[in-house]
Amino acid sequence: MLQFSFWDILSNLLIATQWTIVLSLIAFFCGGIVGLVLLFMRTSRIAPLEWFTKIYIEFFQGTPLLMQLFLFFFGIALFGVEVSPWMAATLALTFWTSAFLTEIWRGCVEAIPKGQWEASSSLALSYIEQMRYVILPQASRIAVAPTVGFSVQVIKGTALASIIGFVELTKAGTMLNNATFRPFLVYSLVALIYFCLCFPLSWWAKKIEGRLNVAR
Amino acid sequence: MSYKLQFAELLPYWNVLLYGLVFTIVLTIVSTVVGIAVGTAGAAARTFGPGWLGRIVAVYVELIRNTPFIVQLFFIFFGLPALGLKLSETTAAFLAMVINLGAYSTEIIRAGIEAVPKGHIEAGLSLAMSKWEVLRHIVLNQAFRKIYPALSSQIIIVMLGSAVVSQISAEDLTYAANYVASRNFRNFEVYLLVALAYLLLAMLTRSLLRALGRVIFKAR
């Protein structure tokens, strides 16, 4: 029988960690782009667009990420498209991330004093120009800390992709546990690797937040 | 799309789904109550306790906040038996939820405690209140009032996160959905229905907590 040494377990987990990182990066960046589009819609003051984003956010923030993964996994298949766990996980995590980022960024946009909107509109800037040149440059400053903080949630969220069969860190842990019957060791290592990924981000987010408080 | 959605196929399983819904609700309520108790103790230990205790609590909080819930759950359910602590799925689910919410609420409540002006504590002590009385009537009273909204959203996040306990076969709403899907293969229908049930539950919890907050923190 094949024997797994400690280093075999660790190196296999680290290989799988690459996929956790790739999935996190894709979800975060695609989610960020979708989130930015939604942010423009949400603050556009055009009623149908605002309603759409409100319902979108309510759905993705009000249902478990696991359910969203299932819905994408089985929902897309209804159209006769072959769905890989990879595709379902990417889509679900992207939409989930975008909903949260939109809400975070909306808070930052709303924190900008109303006078900035009024001043820029009196200078005949269009809505897009107001956002681009006046509001977003200021809002992005306060948005950095909560956005970095949320990236930790994205990394932790990718763990759920294991349930629909995407092989990342958690799934690799489960597979290794099935092969080695050393659950305590395997899951300790899995948790430790997640911690090493997430803790620096949490720490950084906290640091930026502290710096902003001083600047004010 | 040539596929027709058939929600009627779910009807025979209404009792399975209802049982799962009740399980999820009970799981949420119990872990909320116990988790906040843990969080209060943790926050008090971090702010008023001895240094070594505060550091232990800090490690607990950071470990939980920086690892996924599903890994914590697997660790408790699969990992602990290796140390001789064998738990049933239900116990493991409750324990994991409490530990998870305990860590988050420790951090939230600590923020609330630190926002209480120091003068209030000194004033209480100078009025010959004991340390416990100051904690109970002055610090926690004000802290909870401040952090109530943050705590409410954390409760909803934990409730949604509880879907993961289905993965160790604790019989919650998601487990019921998986069960039904495995019987009639109407995966999309059942997951859509259950997702909407979660959505409704989240909205209901939010308004319930808001109403509760109004009762507890009645304007003085």
Side-chain angles (χ1 to χ4, degrees):
Chain A
M1 195 185 132
L2 192 66
Q3 288 288 322
F4 282 85
S5 71
F6 175 80
W7 293 113
D8 291 331
I9 295 177
L10 186 63
S11 63
N12 278 306
L13 286 178
L14 287 176
I15 292 169
T17 305
Q18 296 173 349
W19 291 102
T20 289
I21 296 173
V22 169
L23 188 59
S24 304
L25 286 175
I26 293 179
F28 192 69
F29 282 106
C30 297
I33 293 166
V34 178
L36 197 63
V37 174
L38 287 169
L39 175 70
F40 272 88
M41 289 164 69
R42 182 67 182 79
T43 53
S44 65
R45 274 175 253 135
I46 301 169
L49 291 184
E50 282 194 19
W51 272 106
F52 171 77
T53 39
K54 265 186 198 161
I55 293 168
Y56 178 97
I57 290 165
E58 190 69 45
F59 179 78
F60 284 102
Q61 288 196 339
T63 58
L65 176 58
L66 182 55
M67 276 298 137
Q68 294 161 25
L69 283 162
F70 283 152
L71 283 177
F72 276 101
F73 194 56
F74 295 107
I76 301 171
L78 295 185
F79 292 93
V81 181
E82 181 111 18
V83 192
S84 63
W86 168 242
M87 181 169 140
T90 315
L91 283 174
L93 280 162
T94 298
F95 287 123
W96 178 77
T97 306
S98 70
F100 278 87
L101 285 180
T102 304
E103 270 304 88
I104 292 172
W105 292 343
R106 185 178 65 91
C108 298
V109 165
E110 283 180 358
I112 304 301
K114 222 176 150 203
Q116 298 285 329
W117 285 100
E118 291 165 352
S120 51
S121 82
S122 73
L123 290 171
L125 294 183
S126 71
Y127 164 69
I128 302 282
E129 286 169 339
Q130 280 178 306
M131 283 290 266
R132 165 74 186 78
Y133 294 106
V134 181
I135 305 300
L136 288 186
Q138 300 179 69
S140 60
R141 246 174 66 85
I142 41 176
V144 177
T147 306
V148 173
F150 184 71
S151 68
V152 175
Q153 307 296 324
V154 177
I155 296 177
K156 292 193 288 179
T158 62
L160 293 188
S162 64
I163 296 171
I164 56 168
F166 181 79
V167 183
E168 39 64 80
L169 184 48
T170 306
K171 182 76 183 173
T174 308
M175 290 156 85
L176 280 166
N177 176 36
N178 290 341
T180 61
F181 304 113
R182 290 164 78 185
F184 189 81
L185 174 73
V186 171
Y187 287 118
S188 301
L189 284 175
V190 170
L192 195 69
I193 296 173
Y194 273 112
F195 185 80
C196 293
L197 289 177
C198 295
F199 186 70
L201 286 169
S202 300
W203 181 81
W204 189 35
K206 214 170 186 177
K207 209 178 143 188
I208 307 170
E209 209 181 291
R211 207 186 297 150
L212 264 178
N213 281 338
V214 173
R216 226 177 276 153
Chain B
M1 184 159 86
S2 54
Y3 183 80
K4 265 215 176 72
L5 295 175
Q6 292 173 343
F7 286 99
E9 300 242 352
L10 304 179
L11 275 175
Y13 298 98
W14 68 271
N15 50 347
V16 179
L17 292 168
L18 189 67
Y19 180 85
L21 184 68
V22 173
F23 188 99
T24 293
I25 293 172
V26 173
L27 180 64
T28 307
I29 293 173
V30 172
S31 51
T32 298
V33 172
V34 185
I36 289 176
V38 171
T40 311
R46 269 207 81 172
T47 36
F48 302 112
W52 59 269
L53 189 62
R55 273 191 290 280
I56 293 175
V57 174
V59 170
Y60 155 66
V61 169
E62 292 305 331
L63 272 180
I64 297 299
R65 293 208 321 157
N66 289 299
T67 52
F69 178 58
I70 187 171
V71 175
Q72 295 158 18
L73 191 70
F74 283 174
F75 184 82
I76 289 170
F77 187 64
F78 297 118
L80 288 188
L83 295 186
L85 187 63
K86 218 166 152 64
L87 301 163
S88 73
E89 310 86 60
T90 311
T91 323
F94 275 86
L95 189 65
M97 289 278 285
V98 166
I99 290 176
N100 189 272
L101 184 61
Y104 280 94
S105 55
T106 296
E107 202 59 5
I108 294 172
I109 296 167
R110 189 175 69 99
I113 290 178
E114 282 176 359
V116 175
K118 229 180 157 196
H120 288 205
I121 299 169
E122 287 162 0
L125 289 173
S126 76
L127 288 170
M129 289 172 91
S130 73
K131 223 177 163 185
W132 286 111
E133 285 170 334
V134 171
L135 187 68
R136 155 82 184 75
H137 296 289
I138 296 178
V139 178
L140 290 184
N141 192 355
Q142 293 188 64
F144 270 101
R145 193 180 289 258
K146 280 200 185 90
I147 51 124
Y148 191 75
L151 208 53
S152 302
S153 22
Q154 191 60 44
I155 290 168
I156 293 169
I157 289 172
V158 164
M159 192 265 287
L160 297 176
S162 79
V164 175
V165 302
S166 61
Q167 294 309 306
I168 59 165
S169 316
E171 295 170 340
D172 77 325
L173 185 52
T174 307
Y175 178 87
N178 288 337
Y179 175 85
V180 174
S182 71
R183 290 298 152 117
N184 64 9
F185 302 106
R186 301 290 171 199
N187 290 296
F188 188 73
E189 287 90 335
V190 71
Y191 290 130
L192 190 64
L193 182 77
V194 167
L196 292 178
Y198 272 111
L199 184 60
L200 210 66
L201 207 56
M203 292 161 108
L204 238 114
T205 311
R206 196 190 303 149
S207 28
L208 213 69
L209 283 171
R210 203 172 289 162
L212 195 69
R214 249 179 256 134
V215 174
I216 300 174
F217 304 116
K218 232 182 267 156
R220 278 173 300 186

